[in-house]
Amino acid sequence: MAMFDGAELGKATPAHPDNVEAALSTYEEALFPRSEAATTVAHQNHELFCFDDRVPFGLIDILVSKERFSS
């Protein structure tokens, strides 16, 4: 994802050569919605693996259910 973001910023910069703030705003308009889904999943994983009341059993449940379906 970092390379994609770098490429997108690289496209926004020449589109606004005299206005860095405008280039960043253009870049961020696409970045924030795109990163929202990843942030949501990361938060859910953080809760499941670290702070959920069922730790580590939530992870064990996931691993067991995937193992059952992969056979």
Side-chain angles (χ1 to χ4, degrees):
M1 195 64 135
M3 290 188 71
F4 179 79
D5 289 334
E8 291 298 300
L9 183 56
K11 289 192 292 188
T13 304
H16 304 280
D18 297 326
N19 191 339
V20 173
E21 289 300 320
L24 288 173
S25 292
T26 299
Y27 163 70
E28 289 172 346
E29 285 176 19
L31 170 73
F32 293 146
R34 185 175 66 246
S35 63
E36 184 178 7
T39 302
T40 300
V41 170
H43 176 74
Q44 291 169 344
N45 288 340
H46 190 258
E47 289 293 314
L48 178 66
F49 300 141
C50 301
F51 295 107
D52 186 75
D53 292 340
R54 297 190 62 237
V55 169
F57 300 107
L59 175 60
I60 292 169
D61 291 344
I62 291 170
L63 295 173
V64 169
S65 68
K66 293 211 183 286
E67 184 177 296
R68 251 186 296 184
F69 293 112
S70 65
S71 301

